[in-house]
Amino acid sequence: MTRYDVIVVGAGIAGSLVAQRLGRHGRRVLVLEAGAKAGRAPAGDPLTDYLTAAARLPGSPYRSRPAAASPEVTDLAGTDGTPGFRAAGHLLQDGPLPYASGYVRANGGTGNVWTGLTPRMLPEDFDTESFGYGRAWPLTYDDLEPHYRSAEAELGVAADADEQRAHLGLRFPDGYVFPMRPLPAARLDRLLAARLDGRRVEDPVGLREVELRVVGTPHARNGVPDPRYDGGRGYVPRGRDGRPDPGSRCVGNASCIPHCPSYAKYTPLKTQGRWSSSVTLRDRSVVSRVLVDGRGRATGVEYRSYDGEVSVAHADVVVLAAHAVENARLLLLSGLADRSGQVGRNLMDHPVLLTWGLLPEGEHAGAYRGPGSVSGFEGFRSGPARKLRAPFRVEFGTWGWIWAKGPVDTDVAHFLTEQGLFGEELRRAVGDRVRRQFTFQFEMEQGADPANRVTLHPTERDALGLPRPLVTYDLDEHVKEGMAAARAVSDQLFALLGAEDHTDYTPSAAWPGRFEHRGRTYGYRGAGHAAGTHIMGGSRATSVVDAWQRCWDHPGLYAVGCGSMPSVATSNPTLTMAALALRSAERIEADLTARDHPLSLRPTVPGAPA
Amino acid sequence: MPITDETQRFTALSARLTGFDAGDLAATGLVEAYRAVAAERLGADRYAQLLREPPDARDVREAARAVTYLWYTGSWPGPSPTLVSPRGYAEGLVWKAAGLTAPATAPGGYGSWAEGTER
């Protein structure tokens, strides 16, 4: 049996990056992926699958396999009554409100279907305890800053450092520029900037006024390389499978979720394309247990093929990178790393309040022409208002009402069935509706709460006989107050724009995430940003992993990914996850070097035993 | 009845239902495919009735809606609508009505999202 230096469980963004870094040092790395590689039947080419899917959902190109099932957005449905939802499929739930996100088990993981937005966290996000909620990181922004730059290089980020510095207070080294120039703002962004920049809105919950400013969002999406990057060496965009492709640009397919046909968006397959020959990927390999020796040191994993055959692989270091929910499930299945009692707890997401409407008559938003969101309002993310309500980032949704109401087919059905239109009237109504649509996406920070958790379902098993994950989830008052503030802000935005507000969280079946708060009804979606389930901290008594994402209880066992994040903050978390993964890869390489050269600092004694 | 006549009648009906003229519909290359889908899904009697009666007549209204939905979205309606073909998705009239193209079928190029669409 081959012995490996490192086993990585999961070939998503974090796992692929760790494997790439260690492979570069010549380490023998085995990557075990529960899902299948693209190109294996029945999943064919992702673009073909996308174009033939009846409903183009995030998981469309990655059809679930029974042996490695993934939760689908369609697994959740709203109901009348209490609780107001029903969960079926892989991820079962028993909480008061639904965890409303899915994830993808396929080679590349959820990183295949992500939007590609890569904002950094704010310096103050690393310690929200001073605001009275959440948990502090054992790291600061400045500790992570060099790794943010590494992640921005690996993912290929297009953004404007000066704008990020000026409007977000982010610290960069002098002269830092991103690999690529910022993407051009969407037509909607320009329109909102022209009408709203410099206007002030009232935050009735945070008890302050906020000045509006449209700010471009960093994107892991190919744009125009900045010749000043890397001390003037510039940057070469990477295309399909990570090949250098100087001319690769986002061309506006408007299908980043679930698939970018031009390969301008970063996916882990780009990193995998740059793996050294010492990295081996074994797909359709579902890890069912982490193995440790008598002293608790990780020694390898047990994994199963889709037909149930059990194999074992050994390594000095085991890195779990299987997604926040699946990492926790695997630790629980193994009965490991839980001396703190925190494994699976502190599950966080970005619950997203959506509001949507139509621009004034005769105007058009230019929807469905580029990335799903290019810019946003960043002024609600920071400051003392966080004591009173959850902070939030405001994304401008440039794909019409797709997230709120479904694809444009929904609009066709509305005018045909509810309004009875045909012919020229129908054509005009549908065209006008789609042209004027836009959405505000208020992404709330949710603080770490041990009661929000992943456990093993006591009776339900998956196709391989492994207990399914069971989620217990709720939103606290802080998040609900954030949504109340967001809705109040949204009301003012619509008024300032003279736009028609069509926000309506009905029918209940379409809004599993729905609640009443102070007499008003709110509906939310999940951003797919699961975090916290193997929470990082400064003490083994209260956290699962240390600042290097090492499990406190088990030498040689790392759990990487958003599951380590003590706070999910208001940034889309992928870039932070990538920065943490790259930082952990350095630590792992240092561990392995120490293993290889334990006596390297001592003088060599002739004749001593080797 | 010769196919060409029936195709013509289906095109004329589709033009009345959709608000797009015969030339627009022919340009999609889908007239024959959609005629066949409509005939199959509706059954011979309802299909013949749809061709015969004014589209807003009460007894053909649901069939008329289904054919219109097919033209606009590429899918036959139902609890889970069935996409006829990738071409049907790409040629969906909903996009043409809005002056757009279907995502992932005809991207406008780098930065095209910053520009105005033709009205």
Side-chain angles (χ1 to χ4, degrees):
Chain A
M1 181 192 305
T2 314
R3 194 184 162 80
Y4 296 91
D5 294 314
V6 181
I7 292 169
V8 176
V9 181
I13 292 176
S16 297
L17 287 171
V18 168
Q20 191 261 337
R21 283 300 165 105
L22 295 170
R24 205 164 73 178
H25 290 287
R27 300 298 174 186
R28 288 155 300 160
V29 182
L30 174 65
V31 182
L32 296 171
E33 167 54 50
K37 288 181 195 167
R40 286 192 192 274
D45 171 57
L47 179 59
T48 307
D49 284 358
Y50 169 79
L51 294 174
T52 52
R56 269 162 289 278
L57 301 169
S60 293
Y62 306 97
R63 288 167 196 159
S64 221
R65 319 305 175 88
S70 310
E72 279 286 353
V73 179
T74 46
D75 288 345
L76 266 186
T79 58
D80 295 314
T82 309
F85 74 97
R86 168 167 45 75
H90 178 64
L91 186 67
L92 299 164
Q93 305 206 35
D94 68 355
L97 286 172
Y99 170 76
S101 291
Y103 51 91
V104 173
R105 292 169 90 193
N107 183 35
T110 315
N112 290 302
V113 303
W114 73 311
T115 313
L117 303 182
T118 50
R120 293 184 178 194
M121 281 172 56
L122 308 176
E124 70 176 46
D125 287 334
F126 290 80
D127 182 9
T128 60
E129 287 178 8
S130 58
F131 299 118
Y133 72 94
R135 288 180 46 157
W137 290 59
L139 284 174
T140 65
Y141 174 88
D142 296 315
D143 292 331
L144 201 55
E145 201 284 330
H147 307 284
Y148 268 138
R149 276 181 277 138
S150 299
E152 284 155 0
E154 292 294 338
L155 272 56
V157 173
D160 181 342
D162 291 337
E163 185 183 36
Q164 295 286 304
R165 190 184 283 118
H167 297 300
L168 291 162
L170 292 179
R171 296 189 285 270
F172 301 98
D174 288 346
Y176 180 69
V177 296
F178 283 87
M180 290 170 284
R181 296 186 186 280
L183 293 191
R187 180 186 171 86
L188 174 68
D189 308 342
R190 291 165 196 261
L191 189 147
L192 295 177
R195 310 267 165 94
L196 301 176
D197 270 1
R199 304 293 291 263
R200 302 178 76 83
V201 294
E202 186 78 26
D203 169 0
V205 184
L207 303 177
R208 61 180 193 144
E209 281 197 333
V210 176
E211 185 177 316
L212 301 174
R213 170 81 44 200
V214 174
V215 178
T217 307
H219 290 251
R221 184 173 279 109
N222 290 334
V224 177
D226 192 326
R228 298 170 296 168
Y229 182 69
D230 193 17
R233 279 177 285 276
Y235 178 83
V236 179
R238 295 184 181 280
R240 189 169 192 171
D241 297 322
R243 290 189 289 261
D245 187 355
S248 175
R249 303 282 185 274
C250 172
V251 292
N253 271 297
S255 66
C256 334
I257 305 173
H259 176 64
C260 174
S262 65
Y263 297 93
K265 183 186 79 173
Y266 172 83
T267 77
L269 304 187
K270 293 193 181 188
T271 295
Q272 293 181 13
R274 300 167 55 224
W275 279 348
S276 74
S277 57
S278 66
V279 179
T280 305
L281 173 67
R282 202 166 292 163
D283 72 339
R284 298 177 299 167
S285 298
V286 183
V287 174
S288 47
R289 199 152 61 98
V290 176
L291 307 172
V292 298
D293 66 17
R295 294 156 69 188
R297 166 172 278 281
T299 59
V301 299
E302 173 193 276
Y303 63 100
R304 302 181 191 204
S305 66
Y306 281 8
D307 52 18
E309 191 188 327
V310 178
S311 306
V312 168
H314 290 288
D316 288 331
V317 176
V318 173
V319 180
L320 307 184
H323 181 268
V325 171
E326 294 293 333
N327 267 4
R329 182 184 179 214
L330 191 45
L331 288 173
L332 292 169
L333 284 170
S334 309
L336 296 178
D338 201 21
R339 216 182 310 172
S340 65
Q342 295 299 304
V343 169
R345 293 188 181 273
N346 307 300
L347 174 66
M348 296 172 268
D349 191 9
H350 285 136
V352 185
L353 184 81
L354 299 176
T355 64
W356 60 98
L358 300 176
L359 291 176
E361 280 189 33
E363 300 190 8
H364 58 112
Y368 295 103
R369 305 197 74 203
S373 178
V374 187
S375 306
F377 290 130
E378 308 288 343
F380 303 91
R381 295 175 61 186
S382 59
R386 295 178 89 160
K387 290 181 182 166
L388 301 168
R389 51 129 177 99
F392 49 89
R393 207 172 85 73
V394 190
E395 288 180 355
F396 305 155
T398 52
W399 291 351
W401 294 353
I402 194 165
W403 206 7
K405 302 290 283 182
V408 290
D409 306 28
T410 319
D411 299 302
V412 175
H414 168 80
F415 287 113
L416 263 177
T417 310
E418 285 170 43
Q419 301 213 6
L421 304 186
F422 283 113
E424 186 56 35
E425 270 188 315
L426 174 70
R427 178 179 176 168
R428 247 195 324 267
V430 166
D432 174 70
R433 170 68 51 110
V434 174
R435 271 197 302 267
R436 290 164 59 201
Q437 286 176 340
F438 69 99
T439 301
F440 290 123
Q441 303 163 185
F442 299 86
E443 310 223 345
M444 299 289 140
E445 176 172 28
Q446 174 173 34
D449 176 351
N452 290 333
R453 65 187 298 201
V454 180
T455 53
L456 300 178
H457 197 284
T459 53
E460 292 287 328
R461 300 285 183 273
D462 69 13
L464 291 176
L466 304 171
R468 286 192 183 167
L470 172 66
V471 160
T472 308
Y473 185 83
D474 200 1
L475 301 182
D476 65 11
E477 285 295 298
H478 195 245
V479 171
K480 291 178 179 175
E481 287 287 82
M483 291 199 188
R487 188 65 205 265
V489 167
S490 174
D491 291 346
Q492 295 168 76
L493 296 175
F494 275 96
L496 287 168
L497 289 168
E500 285 174 33
D501 193 342
H502 283 246
T503 307
D504 177 20
Y505 307 112
T506 63
S508 54
W511 291 95
R514 196 161 75 135
F515 61 89
E516 302 263 325
H517 181 65
R518 297 185 194 277
R520 202 165 184 182
T521 300
Y522 297 86
Y524 68 91
R525 302 278 191 235
H529 299 168
T533 53
H534 40 87
I535 200 159
M536 175 192 289
S539 156
R540 63 173 66 238
T542 55
S543 59
V544 179
V545 300
D546 69 10
W548 298 101
Q549 302 188 87
R550 286 184 298 206
C551 292
W552 287 107
D553 304 344
H554 304 286
L557 180 59
Y558 286 72
V560 305
C562 293
S564 296
M565 294 174 69
S567 67
V568 71
T570 49
S571 304
N572 312 50
T574 295
L575 184 80
T576 302
M577 173 183 79
L580 289 170
L582 293 170
R583 185 170 179 274
S584 290
E586 285 182 11
R587 181 73 246 169
I588 294 165
E589 177 55 28
D591 292 350
L592 293 171
T593 303
R595 176 204 67 183
D596 295 342
H597 306 287
L599 307 175
S600 60
L601 296 180
R602 295 187 192 174
T604 307
V605 181
Chain B
M1 181 190 301
I3 294 288
T4 47
D5 274 8
E6 200 195 320
T7 302
Q8 252 175 24
R9 290 173 65 192
F10 181 73
T11 304
L13 167 77
S14 297
R16 277 201 307 279
L17 292 176
T18 62
F20 285 80
D21 65 29
D24 293 334
L25 299 178
T28 65
L30 287 161
V31 173
E32 196 48 41
Y34 284 178
R35 188 200 59 74
V37 169
E40 187 208 324
R41 292 284 190 148
L42 294 171
D45 292 351
R46 284 176 71 213
Y47 177 67
Q49 191 186 12
L50 178 63
L51 287 179
R52 203 167 51 230
E53 294 188 21
D56 50 350
R58 185 161 301 165
D59 46 350
V60 295
R61 194 170 297 165
E62 200 179 319
R65 277 181 193 147
V67 171
T68 312
Y69 187 86
L70 177 63
W71 273 111
Y72 268 78
T73 67
S75 295
W76 189 260
S80 42
T82 324
L83 184 67
V84 168
S85 69
R87 179 156 197 170
Y89 162 73
E91 296 289 341
L93 297 182
V94 59
W95 303 109
K96 298 178 202 287
L100 299 171
T101 55
T105 62
Y110 182 70
S112 54
W113 51 89
E115 300 156 9
T117 49
E118 299 310 314
R119 265 194 242 145

